[in-house]
């Protein structure tokens, strides 16, 4: 409920959210209690509703978001100066809560590309997949020949040519965790349902050979595949000429493909957030959670990720796991992340960025409780490794870092055909070959960055739309975008440089 310019999320919460900048001396009445603010509180930051002694637990969303590091009085600004981590070990239950999903949309379809293996794509791209960083510049030179409105004018049913370059591919330990993650990622993009043609490009002497990225790969039979190595082709200039020629030969074939009605149950939706603020867990994330639930109710798939950003909220997911094994797999990944962070001299509470904190988020617990809202209420059907092919229906969790480009690269490699990306600070992000729908958490940022945002979820706090209405709007936008409607990131030609595979392990 809203009281003046404060938003109280749960009756037993110790804090409320400021919905406007509140100067020192502001008087607010909440539940019959009058608060006088002793200091300025920025919009989307927290105001104490009651006294909390030093060491006491502070609750938001009805959950602990940390412990007071100093005595907190009613009306105080609650943030990094008086709130720290709560390291209490949480109890975990498995499968004790089951989905309360909205009614399933009946008979809904999107206009997509049916691939030969039966999967459904939302775009029709040519991808230049690089086996090693040494071929990155050459790949970009080839892709650049197909940029601009005139380059593909004769092929209106081809969405573009993208160079998927990265900083690895050599110096890896064969068979290591890092090498396997890179190969899974590259192979995932090569077989992605939004990719109709693939040019695999390497230097010729790297540890991840070009042919290893296609040998034994279960590619759709209608995927056009060519391979090139710079050393065998005669150098950069010769390779650019040959690469352009090979793609030119693909374009007429790919342009013959047409969209057709496909049930929405065949969509795979990636869920991600970046540049979060104090509104993320109140507006865009739960609204996206409703859209995700609608898709799952219709038989589709949603993919939640960013493992460090569910720490402190994982108990909400394990209780929704379809089995104890699924829940424990998530906990195992969190244990790995705690060891990984400690080995680097940090903790998972290092995750909130300076921008997150400027937006009102204080601890990883608070951030995570808002982040998991993207997954709605659906049962957790599976937990998969980074870039692992997604084969389960329903809500799936993928183990990824919280860093946005790395996380979404893994989700798309796993098969996500549309991505919804929530942001409070204003992340500019694209992820071709999957279209990225940008969801703003607050109206002020949406209006300031309107050329970079697709949907304004800030209307929920403004009182001009309900969470359910915005969630339904997001669901309809997903269908429209899957059917070919351009997103703002696509209009800006974003999404090529944001291909960032997760680099793990030893590099020699």
């Amino acid at each position: 409920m809203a009281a003046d310019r404060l938003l109280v999320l749960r009756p037993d919460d110790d804090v409320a959210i400021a919905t406007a900048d509140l100067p020192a001396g502001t008087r607010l009445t909440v539940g019959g209690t009058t608060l006088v603010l002793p200091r300025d509180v920025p919009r989307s930051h927290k105001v104490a509703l009651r006294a909390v002694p030093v060491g006491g637990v502070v609750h938001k969303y009805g959950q602990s978001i940390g412990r007071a590091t100093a005595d907190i009085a009613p009306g105080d600004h609650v943030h990094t100066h008086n709130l720290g981590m709560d390291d209490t070990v949480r109890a975990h239950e498995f499968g004790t809560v089951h989905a309360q999903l909205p009614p399933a949309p009946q008979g809904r379809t999107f206009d997509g590309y049916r691939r030969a293996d039966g999967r459904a794509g939302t775009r029709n791209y040519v991808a230049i997949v690089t086996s090693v960083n040494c071929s990155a510049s050459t790949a970009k030179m080839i892709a650049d020949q197909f940029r601009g409105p005139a380059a593909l004018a004769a092929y209106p049913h081809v969405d573009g040519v993208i160079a998927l370059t990265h900083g690895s591919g050599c110096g890896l330990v064969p068979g290591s965790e890092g090498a396997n993650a890179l190969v899974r990622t590259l192979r995932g993009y090569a077989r992605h349902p939004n990719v109709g043609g693939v040019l695999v490009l390497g230097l010729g002497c790297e540890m991840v050979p070009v042919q290893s990225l296609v040998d034994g790969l279960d590619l759709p039979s209608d995927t056009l595949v060519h391979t090139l190595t710079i050393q065998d082709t005669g150098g950069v200039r010769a390779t650019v000429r040959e690469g352009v020629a090979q793609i030119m030969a693909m374009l007429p074939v790919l342009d013959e493909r047409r969209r057709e009605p496909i049930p929405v149950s065949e969509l795979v939706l990636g869920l991600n957030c970046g540049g979060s603020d104090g509104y993320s867990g109140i507006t865009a994330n739960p609204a996206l959670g409703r859209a995700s639930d609608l898709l799952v109710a219709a038989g589709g798939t949603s993919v939640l990720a960013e493992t460090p950003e569910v720490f402190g909220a994982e108990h909400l997911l394990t209780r929704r796991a379809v089995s104890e094994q699924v829940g424990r797999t998530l906990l195992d990944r969190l244990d790995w992340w705690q060891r990984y962070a400690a080995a680097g001299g940090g903790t998972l509470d290092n995750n909130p960025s300076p921008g997150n904190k400027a937006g009102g988020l204080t601890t990883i617990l608070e951030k995570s409780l808002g982040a998991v809202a993207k997954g709605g209420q659906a049962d957790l059907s599976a937990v998969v490794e980074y870039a692992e092919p997604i084969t389960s229906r329903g809500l799936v969790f993928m183990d990824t870092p919280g860093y946005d480009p790395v996380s979404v690269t893994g989700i798309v490699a796993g098969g996500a055909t549309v991505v919804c990306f929530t942001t409070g600070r204003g992340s500019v992000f694209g992820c071709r070959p999957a279209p990225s729908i940008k969801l703003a958490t607050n109206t002020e940022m949406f209006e300031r960055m309107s050329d970079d945002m697709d949907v304004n979820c800030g209307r929920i706090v403004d009182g001009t739309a309900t969470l359910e209405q915005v969630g339904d709007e997001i669901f309809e936008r997903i269908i429209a975008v899957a059917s070919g409607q351009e997103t703002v990131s696509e209009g800006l030609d974003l999404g090529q440089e944001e291909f960032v595979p997760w680099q793990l392990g030893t590099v020699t």
Side-chain angles (χ1 to χ4, degrees), residues 25-63:
T26 299
R27 298 175 67 88
L28 300 165
T29 301
V30 183
T33 300
T34 298
L35 305 175
V36 180
L37 275 54
R39 59 189 293 181
D40 296 346
V41 178
R43 179 180 58 85
S44 77
H45 282 236
K46 297 177 290 295
V47 174
L49 296 175
R50 56 184 62 91
V52 181
V54 62
V57 174
V58 175
H59 295 89
K60 178 183 173 185
Y61 304 112
Q63 304 283 334

Side-chain angles (χ1 to χ4, degrees), residues 84-138:
M85 187 64 176
D86 179 3
D87 291 318
T88 303
V89 177
R90 288 167 294 280
H92 297 101
E93 300 172 343
F94 303 96
T96 57
V97 175
H98 296 288
Q100 299 293 321
L101 298 181
Q106 298 297 313
R108 297 305 302 275
T109 63
F110 70 100
D111 292 335
Y113 292 100
R114 177 68 73 184
R115 302 302 306 281
D117 63 356
R119 292 182 301 155
T122 65
R123 295 294 185 268
N124 187 25
Y125 273 101
V126 176
I128 306 171
V129 177
T130 56
S131 63
V132 67
N133 178 257
C134 307
S135 59
S137 294
T138 305

Side-chain angles (χ1 to χ4, degrees), residues 92-95 318 321-332:
H92 297 101
E93 300 172 343
F94 303 96
T318 60
V322 297
S323 69
E324 183 172 341
Q325 180 181 0
V326 168
R328 291 202 178 278
T329 301
L330 176 61
L331 297 181
D332 288 344

Side-chain angles (χ1 to χ4, degrees), residues 129-181:
V129 177
T130 56
S131 63
V132 67
N133 178 257
C134 307
S135 59
S137 294
T138 305
K140 290 180 180 179
M141 291 178 192
I142 295 170
D144 284 346
Q145 306 307 306
F146 299 94
R147 299 186 75 171
L152 296 175
Y155 308 102
H157 301 286
V158 178
D159 290 295
V161 177
I162 52 174
L164 300 174
T165 65
H166 56 93
S168 188
C170 212
L172 298 167
V173 178
S176 66
E177 189 175 33
N180 291 341

Side-chain angles (χ1 to χ4, degrees), residues 261-278:
I262 297 173
V264 296
S265 59
E266 299 190 43
L267 285 173
V268 181
L269 174 66
L271 312 170
N272 217 87
C273 55
S276 300
D277 70 351

Side-chain angles (χ1 to χ4, degrees), residues 407-419:
S407 178
V408 179
T409 294
I411 294 171
V412 174
T417 49
V418 181
V419 170

